[in-house]
Amino acid sequence: MHENNIKVNNCYSNKEKHIWRNKFHIEMPFGLINDPNGLSYYNNKFHIFYQWNPFGCEHKTKHWGLITTTDFVNYTKPKLILRPEDWFDKDGCYSGCGLVKDDELKLYYTGNVKGSNNERESYQCVATYHKDGTIEKKGVIIEKQPEGYTAHFRDPYIFMEDEYYYMILGVQTNDLEGKVLIYSSEDAMKWAFLGELKTNMNSFGYMWECPNLVKVSENKYAFIFSPQGIQSEEFKYQNIFQSGYVIGKLDLKELELKEHCEFKELDMGFDFYAPQVFKHDNENIMIGWIGLPDKELEYPTAEYGWMYALTMPRVIEYRNNVLYQKPLKEVENLRQSQVINEKNLICDTYKLNLDSRCVEVILNLDMSEGNFTEVSFKFNDEYILMSYDKEAQVCTLDRNNMYLGGKGIRKFKLKVENELKLHMFIDNSIIEIYYQNGLEVTTLMYFAKTEALEIQIKNDNIIKINEICTWNLRSIKYE
Ligand code: FRU
């Protein structure tokens, strides 16, 4: 452990100041970061574990890394916590969750093993993380997938109901359908298989990754998961894989999520996957991976030895039958200085020249007369376009005018009455936008060739800005 920590520290002090290095998004000094794991509040600190290949930018040798924070501005340096070095996890300590119990933090994860014929084997494992930062692997708690399922059996997530622990796991049936399985336990160590969670989503993809079951109201649960193999449609499912949810009544006796709504994606942008939710102070806090599997060529940072990031923490709230997302209050700690604070502007075109590319922008546009609005993020001769067509109720994100990285268009339905409300977080290679108080969110990565940023707003009518506020944001620190 000691040796690796030194490596991480040195690398941080020499951290290359590349223009794509983000300031306030969590990323690794080297290697590949993917899913957030084991999110928990323990020992008076938020613990953010994540999938980390510290050796390169490939999906290999997955460890669990850890950073902790109390304020979401100051973090501890990334540390390697779980290493793939035992027979039950030798080809990867895959995703899982955290559970605070008896003053210890238990980490549940999937041990990925390539067997004799290179065949996949999946073991559900547990380790204890102690307050002094030491880790003790306890080994396998669920040996193999039950009959009727393939070895695509992973990503344990635990919740409690009526004094019982329940674990759900993503799985693939022998008929190649994605599902989740439920186990229960009294002590969170010995687990009994209950069965498959029934939903009305049959033939909905070939694998369901990273499931979460989260209580969102007195009698409703959100089942959040990342299905693979869904056909894309004009206004949905446009990424290679999706992450979203259904909400219904959870009947643990019948193992059924009853009366649930249709699947809805959590993020309509280009780069979002495998979110995890944990509860703290009665809030459900979600962090997602900014990236997607099987699309490695879209991320040119690999050339510089690092890849991907995590989203800022988002609070999810159940209102009007959907989940709204908003930035966690602590994200305001990032505000360094307010640059603009204006109300009731009327103009033909609005141009915002920013001297920093790490900004938060709140923009509230009057749409009562105009029908079409464009917000462009310009980096000299390259740009990303966000446009909204009120009549069609369609929002479009266009990355086709960037030279490097992933391109394409994403379209989604968005209802706007009189005001288009945007809350944007722009970092050196990431843009997260919340629409209509978090009814929709889009996350994307971009790889501009220069450091400049100008935001331009255009309209088919005169532009009426009800409000515009911008802040320069500070960098998060790793100490
Ligand atoms: C999702 C995922 C998980 C798996 C992990 C491996 O991105 O494929 O299902 O546990 O990544 O890194």
Side-chain angles (χ1 to χ4, degrees), residues 193-230:
F193 177 50
L194 300 182
E196 201 176 286
L197 175 70
K198 292 190 231 42
T199 67
N200 64 23
M201 292 175 290
N202 296 310
S203 308
F204 194 67
Y206 58 80
M207 173 64 191
W208 291 357
E209 295 192 311
C210 301
N212 297 235
L213 258 173
V214 181
K215 199 169 193 166
V216 290
S217 75
E218 201 42 59
N219 64 350
K220 296 259 171 101
Y221 268 84
F223 168 41
I224 296 175
F225 62 111
S226 297
Q228 300 187 309
I230 310 287

Side-chain angles (χ1 to χ4, degrees), residues 139-166:
V140 178
I141 44 167
I142 298 175
E143 186 69 40
K144 255 194 149 181
Q145 71 276 13
E147 218 153 281
Y149 301 93
T150 74
H152 284 284
F153 173 52
R154 57 180 171 269
D155 309 337
Y157 183 87
I158 295 177
F159 63 98
M160 247 191 131
E161 189 66 67
D162 297 333
E163 311 285 304
Y164 267 86
Y165 296 97
Y166 291 91

Side-chain angles (χ1 to χ4, degrees), residues 257-275:
L257 190 70
K258 294 185 163 160
E259 299 163 37
H260 70 76
C261 59
E262 231 186 78
F263 181 78
K264 184 174 183 316
E265 280 166 272
L266 279 160
D267 192 294
M268 303 307 288
F270 292 85
D271 307 283
F272 179 89
Y273 196 64

Side-chain angles (χ1 to χ4, degrees), residues 12 27 42 74 80 87 133 165 180 235 242 249 269 276 281 300 329 362 365 390 395 402 413 445 448 470:
Y12 252 92
E27 57 190 27
Y42 171 65
N74 298 289
L80 289 170
W87 70 266
Y165 296 97
V180 289
F235 299 114
Q242 283 63 48
K249 293 184 182 153
Q276 188 172 93
D281 276 354
K329 184 90 183 125
I362 290 179
L365 285 169
K390 187 178 157 192
C395 195
M402 298 300 292
K413 285 280 189 179
M445 286 198 93
T470 72

